[in-house]
Amino acid sequence: MFADKLILRIPGPTPIPPRVQQAMNHPMVGHRSGLFSNLFVKTAERLKPIFGTEQDVYIIAGSGTSALEMGVVNTLQPQDEAVVLVSGAFGERFAKICERYGIIAHRLEVPWGDAVTPELLAAYLQDKPQVKAVFATYCETSTGVLNPVRELAQVVREKSDALFIVDGVSCLGAVECQMDEWGIDILVTGSQKALMLPTGLAFLAASERAWKVIEANQAPSFYLDLRAYRKSLADRTTPYTPAVSLIFGLEESLNMIEEEGLPQIIKRHELMRDMTRAAIQALGLPLMTADRYAAPTVTSVNPQGAFDPEQLRKTLNGKHNVVIAGGQGHLKGKIFRIGHMGYCEPLDVITVISALEMSLKQIGADVELGTGVKAAQEVLINHV
């Protein structure tokens, strides 16, 4: 096997397109130069359709978690109350960030693998009039659930005066998102998922409603103070040193997104989801999520003791150069997850399913070779 032909199918970081890699090799430029200013402002503007907003999108040199923390620290004060929707590890992360800043986090928890429904949220908000923000995860990476944020946003508007703050790290750029129309107040994402970039950039947009709260809030942070980013963007720059090479890569990634078109990108991800799920079901393996809430970017499988998921992952990597993800939190060692987002197309899914079948056979699982591949192929062939 060729070491440089690693097939990376985890839910992030995701593979980098060669043309994006090449763009990042651009000779270094001054981060306060006119050349970089023009590049930075243009790329920030071009992010707006991905968010579904007319608001400015701020680019932060940091991981997606830095933007999650921004959403907390810029809107809430110690002892403020918030509701955090927890359907997996990243909903729990939002709650932990809140608690680190002394915020009272009311967890609305559902079993991992389930989605938070509008009905559950409406009932939960009834006796919590003091809540100032509701935090949700659009795609819960740890389980493969796509929470219904459009409907959840409507509930927040109808049942409270709270801000609605959404983690879109694992799906933005691969799913429909209309931040302004749906009533999302703060939306964040990261570079290393559907945007086809290395780790290191985070992105955040805030509604006018959110900005009224942010301007009145005493953010106990220096680097994550959103007001500094707003002021600097108006001056066509950043408050602190940006990740220059990643911005060159972002420009090329946006070129690719615009060439394919967001509607087609969304359809491609839905197709890859459907192919993967059909294959897993044909192999007789239990999926963690219901079809209705299945994420187009990652599929989680719970073999329920039929075999060791970690042995499967080790075999996939060692014998076939394919890397998939394991479980997180209490699911560590119990499930496996297949990422299918960003620089990924239907034939890549066929390759991974084929390697998965061989690896299952090699660890002694009761599968028939070709069963999953056939099911995925049929979905692809019948796709209109």
Side-chain angles (χ1 to χ4, degrees):
M1 292 185 297
F2 295 106
D4 62 346
K5 291 190 73 173
L6 179 74
I7 300 171
L8 186 65
R9 288 292 165 248
I10 61 176
T14 62
I16 311 302
R19 58 190 279 192
V20 172
Q21 289 182 321
Q22 182 149 358
M24 291 187 294
N25 288 331
H26 190 287
M28 187 52 60
V29 300
H31 66 285
R32 301 302 181 203
S33 66
L35 188 156
F36 182 76
S37 257
N38 289 334
L39 172 70
F40 183 76
V41 170
K42 287 177 181 177
T43 51
E45 183 71 21
R46 292 168 69 192
L47 286 164
K48 290 181 179 181
I50 295 170
F51 280 69
T53 187
E54 294 298 321
Q55 301 297 324
D56 288 330
V57 178
Y58 301 95
I59 303 173
I60 303 105
S63 71
T65 301
S66 69
L68 301 184
E69 188 165 340
M70 267 187 161
V72 173
V73 73
N74 284 276
T75 58
L76 298 173
Q77 293 287 319
Q79 298 306 305
D80 281 347
E81 295 186 39
V83 166
V84 184
L85 312 186
V86 180
S87 56
F90 290 91
E92 180 62 27
R93 178 171 295 185
F94 245 151
K96 288 178 178 178
I97 294 170
C98 287
E99 289 167 347
R100 180 65 61 89
Y101 283 98
I103 294 153
I104 300 167
H106 301 287
R107 288 172 169 82
L108 170 51
E109 298 190 65
V110 297
W112 288 28
D114 290 354
V116 180
T117 64
E119 295 77 15
L120 279 173
L121 179 57
Y124 196 75
L125 287 173
Q126 280 185 347
D127 62 347
K128 296 177 177 59
Q130 303 304 316
V131 164
K132 293 189 175 181
V134 175
F135 295 91
T137 308
Y138 197 169
C139 173
E140 179 47 74
T141 323
S142 63
T143 63
V145 163
L146 194 74
N147 283 300
V149 296
R150 181 177 188 170
E151 293 81 2
L152 294 172
Q154 184 177 353
V155 169
V156 173
R157 283 285 190 271
E158 291 174 353
K159 301 294 182 181
S160 76
D161 295 321
L163 296 177
F164 188 48
I165 300 174
V166 174
D167 166 4
V169 171
S170 291
C171 61
L172 223 60
V175 299
E176 182 184 9
C177 188
Q178 300 296 332
M179 174 181 164
D180 294 349
E181 179 186 332
W182 295 354
I184 298 172
D185 291 298
I186 292 179
L187 180 61
V188 309
T189 195
S191 55
Q192 76 278 17
K193 306 280 187 171
L195 294 181
M196 305 180 291
L197 290 161
T199 55
L201 291 180
F203 311 93
L204 181 149
S207 69
E208 287 300 328
R209 187 167 172 265
W211 271 110
K212 291 178 182 178
V213 175
I214 294 165
E215 293 290 1
N217 192 56
Q218 296 301 313
S221 177
F222 182 81
Y223 188 74
L224 301 180
D225 187 345
L226 262 172
R227 293 168 297 188
Y229 286 84
R230 191 183 208 187
K231 181 178 183 299
S232 291
L233 185 59
D235 294 331
R236 301 170 60 82
T237 187
T238 57
Y240 316 111
T241 307
V244 175
S245 295
L246 289 177
I247 305 299
F248 279 111
L250 175 60
E251 179 187 40
E252 191 59 34
S253 173
L254 290 170
N255 288 341
M256 293 181 67
I257 289 169
E258 290 166 7
E259 287 164 13
E260 185 176 0
L262 269 175
Q264 291 306 314
I265 291 172
I266 292 167
K267 289 179 182 177
R268 170 166 55 86
H269 282 83
E270 290 171 348
L271 172 60
M272 293 189 295
R273 172 200 62 198
D274 295 345
M275 290 172 64
T276 305
R277 290 176 68 82
I280 296 300
Q281 288 173 319
L283 290 167
L285 303 178
L287 291 158
M288 280 202 66
T289 62
D291 289 347
R292 181 181 178 188
Y293 297 115
T297 52
V298 55
T299 296
S300 292
V301 185
N302 186 353
Q304 299 178 357
F307 55 84
D308 181 359
E310 293 305 300
Q311 187 183 6
L312 171 66
R313 293 178 60 223
K314 184 177 180 180
T315 302
L316 269 166
N317 191 359
K319 292 186 178 297
H320 307 293
N321 233 18
V322 174
V323 180
I324 62 173
Q328 294 177 291
H330 69 274
L331 294 177
K332 187 176 179 63
K334 297 179 180 178
I335 71 168
F336 64 90
R337 297 175 295 146
I338 301 171
H340 35 79
M341 75 176 96
Y343 191 54
C344 183
E345 59 185 358
L347 286 181
D348 294 324
V349 173
I350 300 290
T351 299
V352 171
I353 297 302
S354 176
L356 179 70
E357 288 181 345
M358 290 188 289
S359 297
L360 285 167
K361 200 77 171 177
Q362 286 166 321
I363 66 172
D366 184 18
V367 298
E368 182 178 346
L369 293 177
T371 305
V373 169
K374 181 175 182 287
Q377 288 172 330
E378 288 174 344
V379 172
L380 178 56
I381 289 170
N382 293 323
H383 176 67
V384 177

